Amino acid sequence: MSFTVRIAEPHDLDQIARLSDRVFRSKRTTHMAEEFPHLYSPHNARHWFVAEDGGQIRSIIGAMVWPAVIAGARTRVASVGSVATDPDYRGQGLASRLLYLAQSQLAAEAVRLMLISGDLPLYLKFGARSIGRVDWYALPRNLAVAGRYSIRPIDPQDDAAIVARLYQTRSTRFGRTLAQLRAMLVAQPITQVERGVKVALLVLSDGVPVSYLILNHRPFQGVGASRLSEWAGDPKGVLHALTQVSDWPEQGIRIPVLREDLAMQGTLYPLKPDRRGPVSWLVKVIDGVGLASDLAPIGTEQAAQPPRVLLTAPDTYAVEFNGQRWVVNAAELTEWVFSEETAYRPVPLEAIWPLPSLWPEGLNYI
């Protein structure tokens, strides 16, 4: 059996959608292409990668390419998901071949990072790693929040510009255009039809919008804990809005707080997190040279010269800093730049790395 791996064409999307539904929606009435309209759009066909045999697509990987801002520096990332292989054709290395094809194509488009949904051994073998740190808090229903706030649902059309302005206050974020954000807000309730409800709220103080939030409410078959999946602006306003949820879930509301979210940490004090872990996606640096160039403004704030990264072989890099040189593979470089937990990052680099993590939940993968 001879498989061809290639970049998809728009005419492949029907087969791609059917295979996606067979793998991910076999027990549901919803369809992947309806839930993620931008991912399955003909305009995004070149970011699908397929393995076919005799004209039949048997394995797929999809991606959305985003500009992104990390600690104020601009770069490009790809959110990768919908990794699926026909059950009758698994175990033949098709997904692995597609991951490397995706890496090659995305790097050619100046994408620096692949963010991969899930933590399968397949992705770890590919060189993706867990990064960042998230502290999870259980929100007390009776939490008292000082301030005069009012709350209303977000109108996808009228409020998109307000949400965009608030989102811009985050120093690490995806680079959404206003049109993309408006389309995401319109589409986002669809994504949880059978897994719960996404609630999008705008918070105002004396009539002025100060924050917004996306709450993934009762996300697992309508039961279980709800969780805050995205927010920006005044953290006190966000917490006030959450305490006003009338249909309080039996297992409460969970709040993820990234290391750099100092304002939210301070607002939650003296509460303590009850769980800590990496962000929910794996990450792989696929263009370390370009990433180092993009992030150079961050390095110059901390040192006379930022780290220099050179490609010495496929997925192998030399890192030069302060007269020292280290050779690492892509997985190690990913951990050096972004991981909170790595024990072997050289001490001199601790002055610059790790960098903040992009938060992959909320509206970003639609």
Side-chain angles (χ1 to χ4, degrees):
M1 191 174 298
S2 177
F3 289 95
T4 300
V5 296
R6 60 176 176 83
I7 300 168
E9 301 284 348
H11 64 78
D12 295 316
L13 289 172
D14 284 344
Q15 278 201 66
I16 289 171
R18 288 197 299 271
L19 179 54
S20 298
D21 285 345
R22 181 180 179 189
V23 173
F24 298 113
R25 294 294 182 267
S26 61
K27 297 181 180 180
R28 300 178 187 173
T29 58
T30 54
H31 300 284
M32 291 285 286
E34 295 175 352
E35 295 182 26
F36 303 101
H38 304 296
L39 178 63
Y40 289 82
S41 165
H43 299 293
N44 193 53
R46 73 180 189 279
H47 295 139
W48 280 96
F49 308 94
V50 302
E52 68 175 356
D53 172 53
Q56 296 299 308
I57 293 175
R58 303 302 186 185
S59 188
I60 57 174
I61 288 178
M64 287 287 291
V65 173
W66 300 96
V69 178
I70 298 176
R74 296 184 179 276
T75 189
R76 279 169 63 84
V77 304
S79 301
V80 177
S82 295
V83 180
T85 299
D86 186 313
D88 295 333
Y89 292 84
R90 292 174 182 168
Q92 301 184 52
L94 298 179
S96 293
R97 292 174 64 186
L98 290 178
L99 281 170
Y100 282 103
L101 173 62
Q103 172 176 313
S104 175
Q105 175 64 19
L106 293 169
E109 296 183 32
V111 171
R112 316 306 194 192
L113 302 171
M114 289 173 67
L115 316 179
I116 305 178
S117 177
D119 58 357
L120 298 177
L122 166 71
Y123 307 144
L124 296 172
K125 184 178 179 181
F126 173 61
R129 292 293 182 265
S130 297
I131 66 165
R133 188 193 76 195
V134 182
D135 290 336
W136 289 92
Y137 290 78
L139 179 69
R141 187 173 188 178
N142 61 351
L143 180 71
V145 180
R148 296 169 56 87
Y149 297 104
S150 58
I151 310 158
R152 65 172 174 81
I154 290 175
D155 183 292
Q157 298 296 337
D158 294 341
D159 294 333
I162 296 172
V163 172
R165 176 178 58 80
L166 291 167
Y167 187 64
Q168 292 292 318
T169 64
R170 299 194 70 94
S171 63
T172 297
R173 62 188 184 273
F174 290 89
R176 308 160 172 161
T177 67
L178 182 58
Q180 286 173 330
L181 180 58
R182 182 175 285 115
M184 290 173 179
L185 288 168
V186 169
Q188 61 89 19
I190 301 173
T191 67
Q192 299 296 327
V193 169
E194 293 192 357
R195 290 178 286 166
V197 177
K198 275 193 174 180
V199 179
L201 299 175
L202 191 66
V203 184
L204 303 95
S205 177
D206 295 327
V208 177
V210 294
S211 51
Y212 79 91
L213 64 99
I214 308 293
L215 178 66
N216 202 353
H217 196 37
R218 300 175 180 272
F220 301 106
Q221 301 298 329
V223 298
S226 299
R227 71 183 194 179
L228 182 64
S229 64
E230 179 175 317
W231 68 276
D234 177 4
K236 289 183 179 180
V238 171
L239 295 182
H240 171 79
L242 292 175
T243 61
Q244 303 306 302
V245 172
S246 57
D247 183 18
W248 191 265
E250 295 84 352
Q251 297 182 30
I253 295 176
R254 308 281 296 170
I255 300 177
V257 180
L258 296 172
R259 175 177 63 94
E260 59 271 18
D261 285 336
L262 300 179
M264 181 62 85
Q265 293 174 28
T267 304
L268 286 167
Y269 181 82
L271 294 178
K272 295 184 181 297
D274 55 18
R275 182 165 62 89
R276 173 174 292 174
V279 298
S280 56
W281 286 15
L282 300 181
V283 174
K284 181 181 180 181
V285 173
I286 63 171
D287 180 1
V289 177
L291 181 67
S293 176
D294 291 347
L295 302 181
I298 303 172
T300 54
E301 293 179 1
Q302 307 295 332
Q305 292 292 330
R308 185 183 182 204
V309 177
L310 307 172
L311 183 68
T312 60
D315 270 358
T316 304
Y317 298 93
V319 180
E320 299 177 348
F321 183 64
N322 281 356
Q324 299 186 62
R325 190 175 195 267
W326 305 271
V327 176
V328 294
N329 61 34
E332 292 167 327
L333 181 62
T334 301
E335 291 184 326
W336 282 18
V337 177
F338 293 107
S339 178
E340 294 279 341
E341 305 298 331
T342 181
Y344 54 89
R345 179 172 41 235
V347 172
L349 291 171
E350 295 282 350
I352 298 174
W353 298 339
L355 296 178
S357 308
L358 287 162
W359 180 243
E361 297 189 17
L363 301 176
N364 298 305
Y365 189 60
I366 297 174

